Amino acid sequence: MSEDRFKFFQNKQCEYFPCHKGIKAEEFNCLFCFCPLYPLGEKCGGNFKYIENDVKDCSGCTLPHRPGAYEFVCSKWDEIKELAAANRKDPEENKDK
């Protein structure tokens, strides 16, 4: 068995499992149930669209649930960290974004 078990998790008892279509059930990864890439907006790399009130609709995206998702999310860590740092530096400037 792989020593990388921390990269994959399934919750088959979840009432939404699998929450996105197009991935084999045995490959569906629940690790990033709430996608950490959401705040990256258009730079997330996933299949999304914006709907009313600039809400990002990720219902058509399977990126964080596919094999290799852990590595992809980790590859975006510097961008996530920069976004968090920018919000920390001037919270008043960013509060309406």
Side-chain angles (χ1 to χ4, degrees):
M1 181 170 259
S2 171
E3 293 301 315
D4 292 340
R5 290 177 285 214
F6 61 91
K7 295 179 182 181
F8 184 84
F9 167 77
Q10 281 191 333
N11 182 4
K12 291 182 179 179
Q13 293 159 338
C14 174
E15 59 269 28
Y16 302 107
F17 183 85
C19 59
H20 295 269
K21 306 239 184 283
I23 305 172
K24 294 176 186 174
E26 64 272 11
E27 293 180 352
F28 196 92
N29 192 348
C30 301
L31 183 63
F32 299 118
C33 179
F34 290 95
C35 185
L37 303 175
Y38 185 93
L40 294 178
E42 295 176 0
K43 296 179 181 180
C44 72
N47 180 26
F48 66 91
K49 61 184 175 186
Y50 283 104
I51 57 175
E52 60 192 48
N53 298 323
D54 287 328
V55 172
K56 190 174 165 188
D57 175 5
C58 304
S59 61
C61 182
T62 59
L63 191 144
H65 303 292
R66 292 190 167 280
Y70 180 85
E71 290 79 9
F72 185 80
V73 169
C74 287
S75 78
K76 295 287 200 171
W77 185 247
D78 285 340
E79 293 175 62
I80 295 167
K81 192 169 60 173
E82 287 175 24
L83 182 61
N87 286 331
R88 182 180 57 84
K89 288 178 185 171
D90 194 351
E92 285 300 311
E93 181 180 309
N94 293 307
K95 78 177 184 181
D96 293 327
K97 292 184 179 180

